[in-house]
Amino acid sequence: GDSVTQMEGPVTLSEEAFLTINCTYTATGYPSLFWYVQYPGEGLQLLLKATKADDKGSNKGFEATYRKETTSFHLEKGSVQVSDSAVYFCALPNNNAGNMLTFGGGTRLMVKP
Amino acid sequence: DTAVSQTPKYLVTQMGNDKSIKCEQNLGHDTMYWYKQDSKKFLKIMFSYNNKELIINETVPNRFSPKSPDKAHLNLHINSLELGDSAVYFCASSRQTGVLTEAFFGQGTRLTVV
């Protein structure tokens, strides 16, 4: 079945450091790919998305490129802020199961001033 | 206006009780979901429901049942609560597009079974 694998956290960075959170997937066909973010005590919010190979999703300084050849969708940000501290989830819809989102295990990011 | 709202936000109850969590969405979406997030933040899909189809994750115990009085609501009923049911439960909704299925999430309900 479809699955998503993320690097385990926590990832601890200093403010203004470069961020990469790896995400790889296994799926039938070429599904849309998503990154969701969960701030402390809140629900999940869509951070960015890509619908086809080579698409680059971007939002709030974060970027991720849909790489069909490596089945990856790594999240990057050039300069993190303390306010970026959260848990990040990579996800894809399972088209064989009502488009339910399958999530990776989540990666906690902690940014220190 | 909150797009997807859940109540209650916190729920503490004893083992063996029956409880419900309510979810409402005002986005006009036709599909709603329930997810369970454990203490390690791992998210597991429980149900997907629209007016045509209920899809149940086969690992979900039959003590859990979704009930949808109308398209905008999907409530979660849990019978005979167990300690292991303690988790944060998230409701979500989406519009079926066939290509892009962006889901909108509620704030979560933290269930603690004692």
Side-chain angles (χ1 to χ4, degrees), chain B residues 9-64:
Chain B
K9 189 171 181 180
Y10 300 97
L11 180 56
V12 180
T13 188
Q14 291 185 328
M15 274 194 306
N17 284 349
D18 302 336
K19 289 293 179 185
S20 295
I21 305 172
K22 295 184 178 180
C23 178
E24 176 182 6
Q25 55 96 2
N26 62 7
L27 298 167
H29 288 165
D30 48 24
T31 303
M32 297 183 72
Y33 312 85
W34 278 103
Y35 288 83
K36 178 181 180 181
Q37 186 175 45
D38 64 23
S39 59
K40 295 184 179 180
K41 299 294 187 182
F42 185 75
L43 276 159
K44 184 177 80 171
I45 181 67
M46 301 178 72
F47 304 101
S48 165
Y49 183 80
N50 63 26
N51 58 4
K52 299 176 184 177
E53 188 177 24
L54 170 65
I55 298 177
I56 303 171
N57 183 326
E58 62 187 10
T59 67
V60 175
N62 58 14
R63 299 181 295 104
F64 290 78

Side-chain angles (χ1 to χ4, degrees), chain A residues 30-110:
Chain A
Y30 304 105
S32 300
L33 299 172
F34 304 88
W35 275 101
Y36 279 81
V37 58
Q38 184 179 25
Y39 297 104
E42 298 185 12
L44 280 77
Q45 305 172 28
L46 180 67
L47 179 60
L48 54 83
K49 59 193 177 190
T51 59
K52 59 184 187 296
D54 299 326
D55 263 3
K56 177 185 283 188
S58 61
N59 185 29
K60 299 181 181 180
F62 291 88
E63 292 183 340
T65 301
Y66 191 154
R67 301 285 189 201
K68 181 178 65 174
E69 61 278 7
T70 55
T71 61
S72 64
F73 193 53
H74 304 323
L75 183 68
E76 297 181 336
K77 186 173 185 180
S79 176
V80 294
Q81 305 300 312
V82 173
S83 58
D84 294 327
S85 298
V87 182
Y88 293 81
F89 294 91
C90 187
L92 57 80
N94 185 337
N95 291 323
N96 294 322
N99 282 320
M100 292 186 284
L101 287 171
T102 296
F103 287 90
T107 302
R108 182 181 297 278
L109 170 66
M110 297 190 296

